[in-house]
Amino acid sequence: MRAKKFYRYTFNRQFTVGNFIVDFISRKLNVVIEIDGYVHRLEEQILIDRRKDHLLHSIGLEVLRLIENEVRNDLPNAILKMEDYLPDEIRPILS
C-alpha cells in the first residue's frame, strides 16, 4: 500500500481501535488488515487476537489476517485476498 492507498481507498497504519492497535485500517471500507508474524502462532497471542477480532467485528469492522511470509513471498496472492474486500464496482475484472 504505497502512499497509504489501495486502489482509491486510504488506509491508516498502526491505528488505535479500543485498547488495540491494528496494522492497517480503511474506515471507508470498514476493513482491518492484520499482518501476522511468528508471534501470532503462540497460544497467548492467539487468545489476544481472538479478543481483538471480536471487538473489531462488534463495531462493524471486517478483519483480514495475512501471514507475514505470504506478504513477503507471495504478494500477488495477498493482494488478491485484499481485493476481495473492495466494493464490486471497484474490484478488478479477472479473466
Side-chain angles (χ1 to χ4, degrees):
M1 283 185 266
R2 294 212 187 285
K4 298 183 181 183
K5 296 249 183 207
F6 183 66
Y7 288 82
R8 67 178 186 214
Y9 293 94
T10 300
F11 279 80
N12 298 99
R13 187 171 183 274
Q14 299 294 298
F15 192 84
T16 302
V17 179
N19 292 330
F20 297 103
I21 296 174
V22 299
D23 293 334
F24 298 95
I25 185 172
S26 170
R27 290 175 282 177
K28 186 163 187 155
L29 291 173
N30 290 324
V31 66
V32 166
I33 299 174
E34 293 282 88
I35 311 296
D36 291 345
Y38 175 79
V39 71
H40 292 270
R41 292 187 233 165
L42 303 176
E43 188 173 337
E44 181 179 341
Q45 189 61 45
I46 290 169
L47 295 173
I48 292 169
D49 288 344
R50 284 184 187 154
R51 286 194 302 267
K52 184 180 196 179
D53 289 355
H54 180 74
L55 169 75
L56 297 171
H57 286 119
S58 75
I59 59 173
L61 296 169
E62 293 188 66
V63 179
L64 170 61
R65 288 191 170 275
L66 298 171
I67 305 300
E68 181 182 20
N69 285 341
E70 178 182 22
V71 174
R72 291 183 185 275
N73 300 319
D74 190 8
L75 187 57
N77 190 50
I79 289 171
L80 284 174
K81 289 179 180 179
M82 292 166 55
E83 288 172 345
D84 284 342
Y85 289 83
L86 295 172
D88 288 338
E89 64 273 8
I90 300 297
R91 199 172 297 172
I93 298 172
L94 304 174
S95 38

